[in-house]
Structure formats: C-alpha cells, structure tokens
Amino acid sequence: MNCRDFQLQLAQLPDDQDVETVAHTQTCIVCSSLLKDRRRQEEWLRERFEKASIALLSKAPVYSGIPFSPAMEQPPFRLSWVIGSIAALATVIVGLWHWNGLGWDTAKPVSSESLIPAHQSAQLTAKNPPDNTSPKVFLPPPVSKLSDTARSQRLLTNASPTPASSSMPVVSSPLSPQDPLVAAAHVFKMEPTGLAPDANGYLATIVPNDPTTQAPAMVALSLSGLPANSLFHIRTSDVNGQQVWLASLMTDANGLGAVMLRTSADVATSQKSARPNSQRTTADPIVDLDLGDDDSPPGGAIDVVDNTGNTVLHVSQTRKPKHKRSQ
Amino acid sequence: MEQLGSISTGIRQMSDDVFARTSARDFGAVARTHQAKLYRTACFLTGNRHEGEDLLQETLLEAWKGWKSFEARSSVYTWLYRILVHRYHRWQRRQMVRRVFFVRAGETDLEKLQTFVDPSSPPGSLMEREEENAQLWKFLESLRPKHREALVLRYVENMRLEQIAETLGLPLGTVKSRLNHAHRLLGERLRASGVFRSQI
C-alpha cells in the first residue's frame, strides 16, 4: 500500500482498519500523522457529543403519558375537521349577521324596536305590516371589495340604534344587552388569478359593535382549490403602499386552508381618532385592510401569495360591494 | 450439537425489530424506548430544543401512523431514524423556503417575521445555552444539513457506515464522502481555532 492508497482509504473512513493500513502507518510518518489527526477529531467529536447528549437527555420530553392505544388508531380525518371548521365559521358569521338584523328576517333588530316609543312603533306597524306570507330571504351576496376601515369605524360609531325621529335619549356605552354585537360584516369572494384558476377564496370581515373600540375587528379567510400541503401567505399594503405580510397558512392534503386575522385595539383606537400614521408611535407598519371609498387611491387589497411570491387569489378592487349594511 | 449451535446463532442474529415487535406488542413501548435518543438526535440536527421537540413529535406521529404497515424488513431503530431524517428534510425545506420567501419581503417585514422563521434566533437555541459545547454547536451549524446528518448519525448514534447508508437511503460511497468532507472541515476549524496543532 502506498500513501495515495492509504489517504484514499482514510478519506473513506473505514470502520475497521485492515492489517495493511496499520502496517503502512507504522512506516510512513505523514500517513501516521494523518491517521492520528483523524482519530483525534473522532475523539473530540465523541467527547463533545457525549457531553452535549447528557445535557439534552436530562431535559428530554417524556411522552410516556401518551397512550398509543387502539382507540387512537384512527387518526381524525383531516377533511372532516376542515369542513367542520368552515361550517362553524360560516355559522358564526351568518349568526352574527342574523343577530345584527341583516339576514333572512325582515324584522327590525330587537335593539331598534326597543328604542322606538310604543306609539311610534304602533304607527310603524300599522303603516308597514309585516309580510309574513312571503318572507324576504336575504343571502349575503359575494362582493369583491373590502370596506373601508375608516368607514367601518364610522359604522361602528354610528351603530348606536337611534332613529332620527326618535325622541329617546341616545344609548351610549357600555353596550346594553340589546345592542347588536356587530356593527358591520361583509363576505367577499376572492378572485383567482391565472396561476390558480380553480382556487376559491372567501373573506369575511366582522367589525364588532363596541363604542370603546377595544374589541378587535376580525378578518377570516377560507381557501380551497389550492395545491395540497403548500404554504401560502396573506399580503396587504400599509398606508404607505408598502407590502405587509399578515399571516401564513398551510393547506391540507385536500388543498383547503383557513386563517383568522384580527386587528389590535391600538389600531382600532388610532384609526378611529385620526389618520393612523399620525397616531401610531410603534414601528409596526400601519395596515389599512380595506379599500377605502371609491375616490380614494387603491390599496389595502388582500392577496393570497404562494411561496414563489405569485398571487393566486386576491380581492378585486374593480367592483363596488353589492351589500353593505349598518345600523 | 452443531445444529443446535447454528439455531442458537440464528436466533441471536434475529432482527432486533422483530424481537422488539413481538415483545413490545404496542407502539407505545417502542416510542418510550427510543424517544430520548430520537430527541437528542433531533436537537443535534436542528440545533434547537423546541424544534427538536417538534421534530420528535412529528417523527413519533408518523411512525405511529405507519406502525401497522411496518414489515420489520429493517430494524425498528433504523426505521425510526429514517422517519426522523425524512421529517428533518421536510423541516429543512420549510426553513429554506421561508427564508427565501421572506427575504423577498421588505426589511420591516423581514425583521418582524424573523422572530419566528429564523432558526438561529428563537429561544431554546442550544448554541447560546450550552457555552461549554459552543464550539461543537457552532461547527454543526456551519455544516450543510447533508453533512450534519451523516456526522450526527455516526458519532451520536454510533452507527456503522452501512447503517447510516440504510437510514439515509444513500449509497455507502456517498456517506463516506460526506463524512470525509465533514472531517476535513472540522480539521480546518479546529486547527484555525488552536484546538489542534497542525499535524503536517
């Protein structure tokens, strides 16, 4: 064996040294030195790994309490969880909508009726008798424009159910039990781009009826028809037009995904009082999730972006919302 | 007598997995047996306790799901480590994708998001906590994942080269090459830091 053969063999890190190798290292100083160097490295590694292992094993998590029992052998079907989540979300949204007097029922919200004096209420009933025979079914149409945050806040502030003709005093905070919980709620259908023509996305915005503006507004996204087990990101723009990443979500094996976003009370407070950029002191980008009035500059659209940075779904700014309701 | 001897040898040579399966009966026992070592390896691979725990959980979950279909063609030990390495590769891809993706975003976004996407910064980073072994953690962090996993299996799990090749699903020559590369880097690093004097 010559030095070249030895070094080649050394490079291959054999588990056992053969006789020839041992014999060569006894005669060649350079190869002997190389072998020693390698052995010292191995020794160093084993020693360090062992020390680190002791520290790690002392704090190793114990899962002995987890029963890998036959009862657990049927893992929950993911799709059913996703469908259940979406159904629950839809129920909440529709329920809130209904509670707010915006859906299915043409009857006035309880809070509105309660604030109208009895005689006025009777007059109203006489003029407009309830049409029980043909109940108007209201389904929130999928609209493709976000509401303005500022407008949402105005809705919020105007949400106090006080008819103009009413002589009753204005009900102010704290909320009475009869006040609607939601000042405004919208559902938007997101539009797929050419990259994901089969994708579907719905976006729901819920602005709670809270005169203190402490309750955060919520935005929920439900996506389907996207590539399975893929990471997607929710993007919008702040007031300066800078891109802001709001959240990430991973689709399941069926290409379904959902995410819930909520604004902070800080944002709500500052946006209610004035332009947010003049109020905020933190370094966080100021996010205006909504598209603003028709004459305002475009911005605040929400995009769903894949890992390569391509938009697969977005909320269109070209159409006016078909439905916006407030108290 | 010879026949008895060969039978005895055959029984001894029986795969430890078959033994483990027949004796343990349930996956819980197997998980309890291997979980500490799997956790240790996961921590060495990810360099982070929290990530190591996550990786261990994912590994055990995947192993549990595949337990019924496990045919004991390899040892339970090798099978579990193969799953761990597989999950590690997935974790590595996720990390890489996140890093690449968020680098595209603006600086502000990056700073905001780095707190949960950068594996070097989150709490539980082993390099920060274990000062004594900081050199080892630093070296591991400097290695590419493919070299790191070979080194960890070799010196933490004391696997033979053939076992590493089986676990990683690689040819033996590739494993040797990766280990040699890791050793070359380690030699350079240790000589540069003065731990080893130059031998040649």
Side-chain angles (χ1 to χ4, degrees), chain A residues 10-16 30 33-34 36-38 40-42 44-66 68-69 72-75 78 229 231 233 242-245 248 250 283-285 305-310, chain B residues 26-28 31-32 35-37 39-40 43-44 49 53 56-57 60 64-65 68 94 97-98 101-102 104-106 108-109 112-113 126 130 132-133 135-137 139-140 151-152 154-156 158 160-162 176 179-180 183-184 186-187 190-191 195-197 199-200:
Chain A
L10 185 67
Q12 293 188 343
L13 276 165
D15 282 322
D16 306 306
V30 175
S33 170
L34 279 173
K36 277 183 188 170
D37 190 44
R38 178 59 54 91
R40 285 180 67 190
Q41 281 184 32
E42 290 183 343
W44 186 89
L45 278 170
R46 287 207 164 93
E47 195 182 312
R48 293 294 184 287
F49 272 127
E50 201 175 325
K51 279 184 185 172
S53 292
I54 292 166
L56 284 174
L57 291 174
S58 66
K59 292 173 184 172
V62 181
Y63 296 126
S64 58
I66 298 175
F68 288 98
S69 63
M72 288 177 67
E73 281 181 7
Q74 293 297 328
R78 281 186 185 177
N229 299 318
L231 192 63
H233 309 275
Q242 297 285 325
Q243 289 182 350
V244 175
W245 303 99
S248 297
M250 179 76 84
D284 291 339
V305 181
D306 68 6
N307 269 327
T308 53
N310 296 317
Chain B
D26 64 337
F27 179 73
R32 280 191 288 277
Q35 65 180 3
K37 285 186 176 179
Y39 168 71
R40 176 182 64 178
C43 288
F44 279 125
R49 275 186 199 281
E53 279 182 34
L56 171 65
Q57 283 182 20
L60 289 179
W64 173 60
K65 283 178 183 172
K68 277 192 172 176
R94 282 203 303 268
V97 165
R98 284 178 185 176
F101 180 69
F102 287 122
R104 287 179 172 202
T108 315
D109 309 328
K112 192 176 176 184
L113 292 163
L126 289 156
E130 290 196 17
E132 191 186 357
N133 290 315
Q135 208 167 11
L136 174 69
W137 290 113
F139 170 64
L140 283 178
L151 202 74
V152 167
R154 170 77 172 176
Y155 294 107
V156 176
N158 289 315
R160 293 182 66 83
L161 297 178
E162 293 81 7
K176 287 176 179 177
L179 279 171
N180 187 51
H183 269 287
R184 201 148 37 81
L186 177 65
L190 292 178
R191 273 190 287 278
V195 177
F196 286 0
R197 279 180 301 171
Q199 299 289 312
I200 306 164

Side-chain angles (χ1 to χ4, degrees), chain A residues 12-271:
Chain A
Q12 293 188 343
L13 276 165
D15 282 322
D16 306 306
Q17 297 292 327
D18 58 22
V19 182
E20 241 186 317
T21 313
V22 175
H24 180 77
T25 52
Q26 285 171 350
T27 55
C28 177
I29 299 169
V30 175
C31 291
S32 169
S33 170
L34 279 173
L35 185 62
K36 277 183 188 170
D37 190 44
R38 178 59 54 91
R39 293 287 168 254
R40 285 180 67 190
Q41 281 184 32
E42 290 183 343
E43 196 183 328
W44 186 89
L45 278 170
R46 287 207 164 93
E47 195 182 312
R48 293 294 184 287
F49 272 127
E50 201 175 325
K51 279 184 185 172
S53 292
I54 292 166
L56 284 174
L57 291 174
S58 66
K59 292 173 184 172
V62 181
Y63 296 126
S64 58
I66 298 175
F68 288 98
S69 63
M72 288 177 67
E73 281 181 7
Q74 293 297 328
F77 184 43
R78 281 186 185 177
L79 182 62
S80 64
W81 280 99
V82 172
I83 291 170
S85 306
I86 292 171
L89 187 65
T91 308
V92 168
I93 291 169
V94 170
L96 290 173
W97 204 289
H98 184 64
W99 177 264
N100 199 24
L102 298 175
W104 285 293
D105 200 344
T106 54
K108 293 277 182 188
V110 177
S111 55
S112 298
E113 287 184 351
S114 67
L115 291 171
I116 300 173
H119 65 279
Q120 287 185 14
S121 179
Q123 287 171 1
L124 283 171
T125 310
K127 285 176 185 171
N128 303 306
D131 185 9
N132 292 328
T133 54
S134 57
K136 191 192 290 178
V137 177
F138 173 77
L139 288 173
V143 292
S144 48
K145 191 173 181 182
L146 282 169
S147 65
D148 177 22
T149 303
R151 185 168 59 210
S152 299
Q153 293 299 331
R154 283 201 298 275
L155 292 174
L156 183 65
T157 53
N158 293 337
S160 175
T162 311
S165 60
S166 172
S167 59
M168 293 291 288
V170 174
V171 178
S172 59
S173 63
L175 286 170
S176 73
Q178 294 172 333
D179 282 331
L181 296 174
V182 175
H186 300 275
V187 178
F188 307 93
K189 180 168 171 53
M190 301 187 83
E191 291 184 355
T193 62
L195 291 168
D198 298 330
N200 280 313
Y202 287 95
L203 184 146
T205 59
I206 303 163
V207 180
N209 187 12
D210 178 14
T212 64
T213 69
Q214 294 301 305
M218 285 181 288
V219 178
L221 277 99
S222 171
L223 310 173
S224 61
L226 292 169
N229 299 318
S230 305
L231 192 63
F232 290 92
H233 309 275
I234 315 302
R235 184 178 66 187
T236 186
S237 307
D238 65 9
V239 292
N240 299 318
Q242 297 285 325
Q243 289 182 350
V244 175
W245 303 99
L246 297 171
S248 297
L249 65 95
M250 179 76 84
T251 54
D252 69 355
N254 298 298
L256 302 172
V259 69
M260 178 80 89
L261 313 168
R262 59 170 57 196
T263 60
S264 68
D266 179 28
V267 172
T269 309
S270 62
Q271 283 177 341

